[in-house]
Amino acid sequence: MNQQSCVLFSLLIVFLHCTIILSQSPAAAPAQGPVAASPPPPVISQTPAASPAQPASVPAPTNVTKILEKDGHFTVFIRLLKSTQEENHLLTVLNNSNNGLTIFAPTDGAFSNLKSGTLNSLTDEQKSELVKFHVIPTFLSTSQFQTVTNPVGTEAGSGGRVALNFTTYPNSVNITTGLTNTSISGTMYTDNQLAIYRVDKVLLPMDIFTSKPPSPAPGPAPEKLKPKKEAPVAETPVVSTTVNTSGAVSPVHHHVLLLGVGIVAAIFSL
């Protein structure tokens, strides 16, 4: 009897346990037809925050001395560009002007052909003028030399003593200064703003290497007007009737007396 009771109690426990588990399981979903696949959730794109506007990169102005240094045959001209501060001036012009520049660069051989001591004899002002004489303040291509009007002004000025003259030929461009006659021997650099041409002679300006015409002498000072002298007033001659001690009347006095007598007679006759 006790054994059967234990078996029944055990079965009851198992039954209750299974009932509790089944009651906690979710009910099976009713069978349906084919289920359409649900679309994936939309992806929300995040627009990156706008970065501050970056200024367009501006190319640095062309450095004349660096171009000449690459060739290696312009050490004297480079030294003059630096010592006269013309290097900085050219950089400023190229950065702030739309006209461009044309430079005639003399080689070291050109300077060696000068008379010994020529550069050392120049003042700082004359050295600066010499460098500026090799620069035209506008861009000129080789073809444009055919249309320039001589004389062509330079950075040193526009007068005839600091200007250049050009003559073009089919394959060359001739340059004259009044003291130097040479030709362009090569194009070192060109970019439609800057042109650097090689010359085998130093361009000597007349303003430095010839005596300047003397200044005109001042004209004579105007004469001061002298006051006119008044003409002397003629004095009325006084006729003397003095009789000589001898009692004789001089001939002049005689005529005067006769004239007086005649006048008196004429008065009484009236």
Side-chain angles (χ1 to χ4, degrees), residues 12-22:
L12 180 60
I13 294 299
V14 172
F15 176 79
L16 290 174
H17 179 71
C18 291
T19 302
I20 293 171
I21 293 174
L22 291 174

Side-chain angles (χ1 to χ4, degrees), residues 184-259:
I184 294 175
S185 59
T187 301
M188 300 294 303
Y189 181 88
T190 182
D191 63 358
N192 295 323
Q193 186 191 20
L194 171 66
I196 303 178
Y197 299 108
R198 172 184 180 140
V199 290
D200 296 327
K201 288 185 179 180
V202 179
L203 306 180
L204 302 178
M206 296 179 64
D207 193 55
I208 297 177
F209 295 96
T210 60
S211 57
K212 296 182 180 181
S215 302
E223 296 182 358
K224 293 183 180 180
L225 298 177
K226 297 180 180 179
K228 294 182 179 179
K229 292 183 179 180
E230 296 182 358
V233 178
E235 296 180 356
T236 304
V238 178
V239 179
S240 175
T241 57
T242 304
V243 181
N244 294 334
T245 56
S246 61
V249 181
S250 65
V252 173
H253 295 163
H254 177 72
H255 287 294
V256 172
L257 290 174
L258 290 177
L259 179 61

Side-chain angles (χ1 to χ4, degrees), residues 4 6 10 23 81 99 122 140 151 167 170 181 219 223 227 234 236 242-243 262 267:
Q4 291 178 351
C6 291
S10 299
S23 64
L81 286 171
N99 294 331
L122 302 180
L140 291 175
T167 306
N181 185 19
E223 296 182 358
T236 304
T242 304
V243 181
I267 293 172

